[in-house]
Amino acid sequence: MFTGLLLATLSGIGWASADVLRKQLTADIEPLRLSIQLALIQLAVVVLVAGTVLYPTEIAGWSELRIDRGYWVYAVPGYICTAVGHFLFIKALRTSELSLTIPFLSFSPIFVMGMGIVLLGEWPTVVACLGVSIVALAAVFL
């Protein structure tokens, strides 16, 4: 439990720092170029970190370099949506104050729950809906 709390806290600090740095970068770099650069940096970090965090023995089929075709049905649109969202977020950072743009990120769980229902048929629990509502209301009050 302590490890989870520590990782969540460090993650929050990391995301907050990244948002401030992104805001600073938007003053100097065009949104499309910055979106591409950030996506490539994120990919590099994931590749580097995955090797140290994931243990091949814990993941079934890790040694197989095969990805089912069904994966791409969701992965490609997901990547496209992420890229478009990143680009639009950077445009928002250029035109608005950080304190106005960041709270809107709190609405993403609402969209995730909605897409979970539409794409996967996964209905959220009452507790999940309550948690997302609390986060969304906090963003509105911010």
Side-chain angles (χ1 to χ4, degrees), residues 93-134:
L93 284 176
R94 285 188 93 173
T95 58
S96 300
E97 294 179 27
L98 193 61
S99 61
L100 297 176
T101 55
I102 297 303
F104 283 102
L105 294 177
S106 299
F107 294 122
S108 61
I110 296 170
F111 299 116
V112 170
M113 280 191 351
M115 290 293 103
I117 294 168
V118 173
L119 295 176
L120 305 174
E122 292 181 357
W123 289 88
T125 64
V126 173
V127 174
C129 290
L130 180 63
V132 168
S133 299
I134 290 169

Side-chain angles (χ1 to χ4, degrees), residues 14-132:
W15 278 112
S17 301
D19 288 335
V20 172
L21 292 172
R22 264 193 297 244
K23 175 66 175 178
Q24 192 64 33
L25 287 171
T26 60
D28 302 328
I29 303 173
E30 289 299 314
L32 182 59
R33 183 173 160 218
L34 181 58
S35 296
I36 292 169
Q37 288 175 345
L38 289 174
L40 291 174
I41 290 168
Q42 288 173 343
L43 178 61
V45 168
V46 166
V47 168
L48 291 172
V49 170
T52 61
V53 174
L54 301 175
Y55 300 102
T57 58
E58 294 179 2
I59 301 172
W62 176 263
S63 61
E64 299 174 16
L65 296 175
R66 183 178 65 86
I67 298 175
D68 292 332
R69 281 185 292 202
Y71 167 79
W72 298 108
V73 172
Y74 297 103
V76 171
Y79 183 76
I80 291 169
C81 290
T82 299
V84 169
H86 208 166
F87 173 73
L88 294 173
F89 181 65
I90 289 170
K91 297 262 301 170
L93 284 176
R94 285 188 93 173
T95 58
S96 300
E97 294 179 27
L98 193 61
S99 61
L100 297 176
T101 55
I102 297 303
F104 283 102
L105 294 177
S106 299
F107 294 122
S108 61
I110 296 170
F111 299 116
V112 170
M113 280 191 351
M115 290 293 103
I117 294 168
V118 173
L119 295 176
L120 305 174
E122 292 181 357
W123 289 88
T125 64
V126 173
V127 174
C129 290
L130 180 63
V132 168

